[in-house]
Amino acid sequence: GRRPNEAASVRNLGGVVIKITRPGAHSLPGSLALHASETDLDLVVPDYTVSNDGDLEMYRTTICDLAEHIMARHRPIEPPA
């Protein structure tokens, strides 16, 4: 989720929050960068952070390794009916 309440909902359903960063990536221009959905991101503490600082193959490997790690440790629960 992009907002703290969305991140809480993801976690309440057994999920995890992952932040992906890209060093050197440009921020959104002007007022777009000030939109609540962007500024609230700073309030969300992720469970995992991935730095996308290599080539595509490195990124894929990192994401697959993280997915395996998460699946081994977290068992999602079924949402209420």
Side-chain angles (χ1 to χ4, degrees):
R2 298 176 70 86
R3 297 189 169 161
N5 65 321
E6 294 171 342
S9 293
V10 166
R11 290 182 178 115
N12 287 338
L13 293 172
V16 296
V17 176
I18 303 168
K19 180 177 184 175
I20 300 174
T21 62
R22 178 130 181 110
H26 300 291
S27 297
L28 291 173
S31 62
L32 291 177
L34 300 176
H35 189 272
S37 66
E38 297 299 324
T39 59
D40 283 358
L41 281 171
D42 295 334
L43 303 175
V44 176
V45 177
D47 299 301
Y48 301 93
T49 300
V50 172
S51 180
N52 181 9
D53 58 359
D55 61 17
L56 183 57
E57 188 58 36
M58 178 186 278
Y59 181 67
R60 284 185 183 139
T61 299
T62 300
I63 294 298
C64 288
D65 290 348
L66 178 58
E68 287 180 17
H69 171 81
I70 291 168
M71 293 304 293
R73 286 170 174 69
H74 298 274
R75 300 287 178 228
I77 59 173
E78 293 296 319

